[in-house]
Amino acid sequence: MFLHHRHVSKLSNIPWKYKKFAISQGQKALTDYLHATRCIPYAYADQIAKNSLTALTNLITKLGSFSAPHFPHNLNKFLRYNPINEFEFFFESIGIQPSKFPSLLPHDKFFFSEDGTLLDAARVLNEFGFPWDKLGVLYVESGCVFGWSASELKGMLCGFKRYGFCNVQVVGICLAFPFVFDGQKGAEVDALFGDLRVLFGELGLAEWVEGKGNSVEDWHGVCRKIRVFYDLNGGKKNIVELIGGGKNNGTGVGVGVIVEHGEGELVRAVEYFCRFGAKQEDVARLILEGEELLGLDLETRVVDVLKLLKQFGMSSNGVEDVRKGYAHVLGTVKMGNLPNVMRALGLHEWFFDKIKDGNHGLLVGYVASCPNVGRDKGYVLSLKAIQMSRTPTHNMSKLDFLHSIGFGENALTMDVFTKMHGTRGELHKRFDCLLRFGIEFNKVCKMIMVHPKILSQNPESLEQKINFFCQEMGQSVEGLVTFPAFLCFDLENRIKPRYRFHRWVVEKSLSSKNYSIASIVATSNRNFVARAFRIHPAAPKHWFEQFYPNNLPL
């Protein structure tokens, strides 16, 4: 109903009370056109017309002015003299989003009659049991299927049944694992079907699905959940061993995870624990062996960073090092930000190692026993000021960015917040720019803590400065960690002229002293000139004549 309303509202040239009428008449006219004029079997013409509302709406708007009594005649007349791109309607009807059409639509074809296999393949699949509006899944991920003859496709589907599956099961498997149609993956496909036969039969998944209703939707749903862990495992190992067995999982607790939890729930947990930088197969095993983790609030629950580290066994000296060296992560944090808090500490791998291999209870127990913790008073006062500001939405999104990269709810975070400029999206692009140059996540966070204004530079400016720093100055990006302020100086009017003047001094052997990058760039203009004079009385003259930017005041 929502989809219907969304498309009805697009017909701006038609009075509201006639919009549903226009769509229903449009579907009827399109069905008649495809069946009677284009000779497409009625059942498929009807499927295409009823499931291509975007394309149909666009077609109706081309008619211009609207007259209810004459609308059916006008539309039929339009179709008679203005042939449509039938592939657009077909692709939308099988569930492909119109935004993907540019990369999928044939460039040299307009009518189904120009493609000898497309509709025949769709017919075979639909008659076998594939829902028409889900055929797009196969087309996008395994488009070769629609290039096969009907006999080839029937043979392939019957081959899948010979593994011991019925039609509805084969449909669910194929929709979840479209690569089974890839003839180059014969061994992988054979192994997959063998594993699924064990999961469905010996481990009882088939009985559970049949109890739910035994529909294509049910089989597709359970296969998609299996696919989550299949992909994490890289398809390399026996999926039965991962889901139904293993040294810590002999009773098949992984099957319970598949049965009891939805695909979205599993995907969110997978994405969460992958953010700790763990191997994907380790994340799969963690979730399948630690079902209790799926009951945690991994987004809004608030925890105290230092208390968590102590609970996880960090030594007193280690906790003290964190307190002194990583003040920006201290205080309370939401569980949703915890992965990046650990990355900001450089402890993400350590944290995951603590909870894997059957030790997930450590996290479950801590969250269960952790009382509601109070926020830092300085943070709370600043938060109230943000909420009362003239642009609270912008300011809160900027603060959320800091939390999302591991900054805790503390006064230092608020101090950093006041010195940065930009939207959340802009700040993320600048942060990602620094990561792309190979600076470690936790070191970028420390750079921001020491010199927040580095994130006020646009990515292009950051790239130019880093490239000059590394390529012309011959420095490692690690040098920026100790001197992040470098990124805030003007490249053309400060960094380049001063460095090139310094290089001239060295080349002329005027000074044996090797000045640091910070000394070259950060020194004030007056002190820089005074130092040049001490190096050689004629040096300032050469500086002003050859290097000093013309647009700077003397």
Side-chain angles (χ1 to χ4, degrees):
M1 180 62 69
F2 173 74
L3 181 68
H4 187 69
H5 173 81
R6 180 163 60 88
H7 287 86
V8 165
S9 62
K10 284 186 176 182
L11 299 172
S12 57
N13 61 323
I14 299 177
W16 181 259
K17 66 178 181 178
Y18 290 114
K19 289 185 177 183
K20 291 184 179 180
F21 163 79
I23 285 183
S24 64
Q25 289 298 310
Q27 289 172 331
K28 182 179 182 301
L30 181 60
T31 300
D32 292 342
Y33 167 80
L34 293 174
H35 176 57
T37 305
R38 304 301 306 156
C39 301
I40 296 171
Y42 182 84
Y44 303 114
D46 189 50
Q47 287 276 23
I48 293 170
K50 286 183 177 178
N51 292 289
S52 55
L53 287 176
T54 299
L56 180 63
T57 301
N58 293 337
L59 172 64
I60 292 173
T61 57
K62 292 178 181 178
L63 295 180
S65 58
F66 174 81
S67 168
H70 301 101
F71 177 75
H73 170 75
N74 291 341
L75 183 55
N76 286 323
K77 182 179 179 181
F78 182 89
L79 288 171
R80 192 178 307 125
Y81 295 105
N82 299 274
I84 60 175
N85 187 331
E86 295 167 4
F87 292 94
E88 288 186 10
F89 289 84
F90 173 75
F91 284 163
E92 186 181 357
S93 75
I94 63 174
I96 299 176
Q97 293 296 319
S99 59
K100 295 183 179 179
F101 288 179
S103 62
L104 297 175
L105 285 173
H107 298 296
D108 56 347
K109 298 174 184 176
F110 207 70
F111 306 110
F112 292 139
S113 58
E114 297 175 289
D115 189 310
T117 60
L118 183 70
L119 276 182
D120 278 346
R123 175 183 58 79
V124 170
L125 291 167
N126 188 237
E127 289 177 355
F128 186 85
F130 286 83
W132 185 271
D133 60 356
K134 281 188 167 42
L135 293 179
V137 173
L138 299 183
Y139 194 94
V140 170
E141 295 195 40
S142 191
C144 62
V145 173
F146 291 84
W148 295 348
S149 67
S151 59
E152 288 176 315
L153 188 50
K154 287 178 182 178
M156 177 69 79
L157 294 171
C158 289
F160 294 155
K161 291 180 66 175
R162 282 194 286 271
Y163 285 97
F165 299 110
C166 63
N167 282 39
V168 70
Q169 292 171 327
V170 169
V171 171
I173 294 169
C174 292
L175 288 174
F177 300 91
F179 70 83
V180 297
F181 291 103
D182 187 343
Q184 303 299 315
K185 296 185 176 182
E188 186 178 342
V189 171
D190 188 62
L192 172 64
F193 274 103
D195 288 347
L196 291 176
R197 186 170 60 236
V198 175
L199 288 174
F200 292 161
E202 296 176 24
L203 294 179
L205 271 177
E207 185 178 345
W208 174 75
V209 177
E210 289 163 2
K212 282 194 67 179
N214 202 36
S215 67
V216 165
E217 198 67 39
D218 296 326
W219 283 104
H220 184 207
V222 76
C223 288
R224 281 181 62 87
K225 288 191 278 187
I226 294 171
R227 175 74 187 263
V228 170
F229 297 102
Y230 183 89
D231 287 345
L232 285 174
N233 206 38
K236 298 173 185 176
K237 298 179 183 177
N238 191 314
I239 197 69
V240 172
E241 180 183 344
L242 182 65
I243 294 178
K247 64 178 182 178
N248 297 318
N249 197 13
T251 58
V253 67
V255 173
V257 170
I258 298 292
V259 168
E260 298 295 334
H261 300 276
E263 180 191 358
E265 191 179 359
L266 296 176
V267 169
R268 285 191 294 273
V270 164
E271 291 175 346
Y272 182 83
F273 288 106
C274 279
R275 287 167 58 201
F276 288 99
K279 294 179 180 178
Q280 290 188 329
E281 55 265 36
D282 288 339
V283 171
R285 192 162 55 250
L286 172 70
I287 294 172
L288 288 167
E289 295 178 1
E291 184 177 5
E292 300 92 334
L293 293 169
L294 295 168
L296 297 181
D297 176 359
L298 296 175
E299 286 299 322
T300 60
R301 182 65 187 266
V302 174
V303 295
D304 183 279
V305 175
L306 286 182
K307 288 180 180 178
L308 183 144
L309 295 176
K310 291 176 184 176
Q311 181 75 16
F312 273 56
M314 179 173 283
S315 67
S316 299
N317 289 337
V319 171
E320 190 58 28
D321 287 343
V322 169
R323 191 191 303 275
K324 290 179 179 178
Y326 297 87
H328 54 294
V329 308
L330 301 183
T332 53
V333 298
K334 290 180 180 178
M335 283 290 290
N337 295 326
L338 185 61
N340 278 350
V341 169
M342 290 299 157
R343 291 184 70 190
L345 286 167
L347 294 174
H348 48 292
E349 293 179 357
W350 170 85
F351 180 89
F352 191 84
D353 285 343
K354 287 285 186 179
I355 61 174
K356 71 176 187 179
D357 297 331
N359 298 316
H360 56 274
L362 187 61
L363 179 60
V364 175
Y366 173 75
V367 174
S369 62
C370 179
N372 291 326
V373 287
R375 285 171 163 173
D376 177 273
K377 290 183 180 179
Y379 176 86
V380 171
L381 289 174
S382 297
L383 187 62
K384 289 181 179 177
I386 288 174
Q387 293 167 343
M388 299 287 289
S389 66
R390 293 197 313 173
T391 55
T393 302
H394 165 74
N395 288 330
M396 281 304 300
S397 69
K398 192 167 71 165
L399 180 61
D400 287 341
F401 160 76
L402 280 174
H403 291 321
S404 75
I405 63 170
F407 280 68
E409 296 175 342
N410 55 63
L412 178 57
T413 294
M414 287 301 190
D415 183 58
V416 171
F417 160 83
T418 60
K419 296 174 182 175
M420 291 190 320
H421 301 285
T423 65
R424 177 171 182 162
E426 290 169 339
L427 294 170
H428 259 300
K429 287 180 181 178
R430 298 162 191 170
F431 183 81
D432 290 341
C433 176
L434 296 174
L435 292 179
R436 283 199 305 274
F437 277 92
I439 307 175
E440 294 176 25
F441 189 100
N442 62 317
K443 292 179 179 178
V444 175
C445 291
K446 273 203 163 186
M447 290 168 65
I448 295 168
M449 178 188 71
V450 173
H451 214 89
K453 290 184 179 180
I454 63 174
L455 283 195
S456 296
Q457 315 290 309
N458 63 55
E460 294 77 18
S461 176
L462 288 172
E463 288 177 5
Q464 292 169 4
K465 292 174 185 178
I466 296 173
N467 284 331
F468 186 84
F469 186 79
C470 295
Q471 295 169 14
E472 187 159 342
M473 301 177 82
Q475 303 295 311
S476 163
V477 288
E478 287 296 313
L480 294 171
V481 177
T482 55
F483 183 39
F486 175 89
L487 296 172
C488 294
F489 289 103
D490 189 283
L491 180 62
E492 298 297 329
N493 294 322
R494 181 86 162 211
I495 297 172
K496 284 185 177 180
R498 286 198 177 191
Y499 175 71
R500 288 168 180 170
F501 174 76
H502 169 75
R503 193 169 58 186
W504 174 82
V505 167
V506 172
E507 289 171 353
K508 297 299 182 182
S509 301
L510 298 178
S511 174
S512 59
K513 185 174 181 180
N514 188 22
Y515 290 96
S516 67
I517 300 298
S519 178
I520 294 169
V521 175
T523 303
S524 69
N525 282 332
R526 177 177 295 180
N527 289 339
F528 186 82
V529 173
R531 185 168 68 200
F533 182 80
R534 290 195 298 272
I535 290 172
H536 191 281
K541 181 175 183 295
H542 190 69
W543 159 252
F544 283 113
E545 289 179 350
Q546 300 296 324
F547 297 100
Y548 194 77
N550 294 328
N551 59 338
L552 289 182
L554 296 177

